[in-house]
Amino acid sequence: MEILLDGQPYPGLWPAPGPTVGEALIEIDQHLQAKGRAMQTVELDGENIAADELTMAVAGTPGAQVGRLWVTSARVGDLVLEAIGEVEAVLPELPVACQALATVFAGDDPGEGLEPLGDLLEIWEGLRESRERVAGALNLALAAIPFEGGTAESYEAALEAMIGRVHDAVEKQDFKAAADLIAYDLNEFAEREPDLFKQLRAQCEGGATA
């Protein structure tokens, strides 16, 4: 198996008959981590392999059965900034979604808001996971990231509590209360999300804003 890292041969230090694909990728990943870099793309015999497609079957493939493993890398900070940028592009839609959902719950058929509520909360769960990935890549705990006089962790706790209140109102079929919570309280969190990701960006770029 020919192994290329950023276009250059990467022989590694494996005994014959050579590593499996998974072993090679682990070795390369460790090598990159020591340099503050991370794998960006992986190609196996010219076929791009997404991270979620690196199954046991692929990882266990013997190197002798592979012609070329091509890996490109990027600075961890650059990858994090790219991920933050993708999230920031959709954040302006969050307050709009809150107001639209509040209108449904306040209307004549509030039951129609149950599915959109699930969709909205899935978006927020995705944002939470994105923050955790960013913090992990920067080797930071959310409790160590300052935000609005508190921390990113305290923001997450307050958001979780607010989502819990919305859930309670919906379970009690108090849709008027749910509408108010979403239109005002939850919407406030939606409007704060861009500032939180701005703070994460500052941490990645080496600065910080309160």
Side-chain angles (χ1 to χ4, degrees):
M1 174 171 59
E2 179 186 15
I3 302 176
L4 297 177
L5 174 59
D6 295 325
Q8 299 299 317
Y10 184 81
L13 299 173
W14 300 289
T20 63
V21 171
E23 289 169 340
L25 291 175
I26 290 172
E27 157 71 19
I28 293 170
D29 185 55
Q30 292 173 343
H31 170 77
L32 291 172
Q33 284 185 32
K35 296 178 176 294
R37 299 178 69 83
M39 288 188 288
Q40 187 174 30
T41 64
V42 175
E43 287 187 8
L44 204 58
D45 286 338
E47 181 180 356
N48 185 66
I49 307 295
D52 58 359
E53 293 177 357
L54 288 171
T55 61
M56 290 296 294
V58 173
T61 302
Q65 296 180 12
V66 176
R68 173 183 289 181
L69 173 63
W70 184 304
V71 177
T72 63
S73 71
R75 192 177 69 87
V76 169
D78 291 338
L79 293 176
V80 171
L81 288 173
E82 181 180 341
I84 291 174
E86 292 175 355
V87 173
E88 289 176 326
V90 301
L91 288 180
E93 301 174 10
L94 202 54
V96 177
C98 284
Q99 294 303 322
L101 179 57
T103 298
V104 174
F105 276 135
D108 296 332
D109 192 0
E112 291 186 354
L114 297 178
E115 183 174 346
L117 174 61
D119 294 339
L120 180 63
L121 296 184
E122 281 187 14
I123 292 173
W124 243 306
E125 177 64 17
L127 294 176
R128 184 189 64 78
E129 292 175 353
S130 294
R131 284 192 281 274
E132 290 182 347
R133 285 195 296 270
V134 167
L138 298 175
N139 292 317
L140 288 174
L142 291 177
I145 300 174
F147 182 61
E148 295 183 343
T151 66
E153 184 180 60
S154 61
Y155 169 88
E156 292 282 7
L159 173 58
E160 185 176 350
M162 178 52 57
I163 290 175
R165 291 179 62 190
V166 172
H167 270 302
D168 289 344
V170 171
E171 286 180 1
K172 295 175 182 177
Q173 296 190 355
D174 189 348
F175 296 115
K176 174 66 167 59
D180 288 342
L181 286 170
I182 294 169
Y184 300 103
D185 301 89
L186 197 58
N187 186 74
E188 181 182 338
F189 283 95
E191 292 177 342
R192 294 164 67 191
E193 286 283 345
D195 288 336
L196 179 51
F197 276 92
K198 181 180 178 181
Q199 177 63 9
L200 292 173
R201 176 180 288 276
Q203 293 290 325
C204 183
E205 293 173 342
T209 60

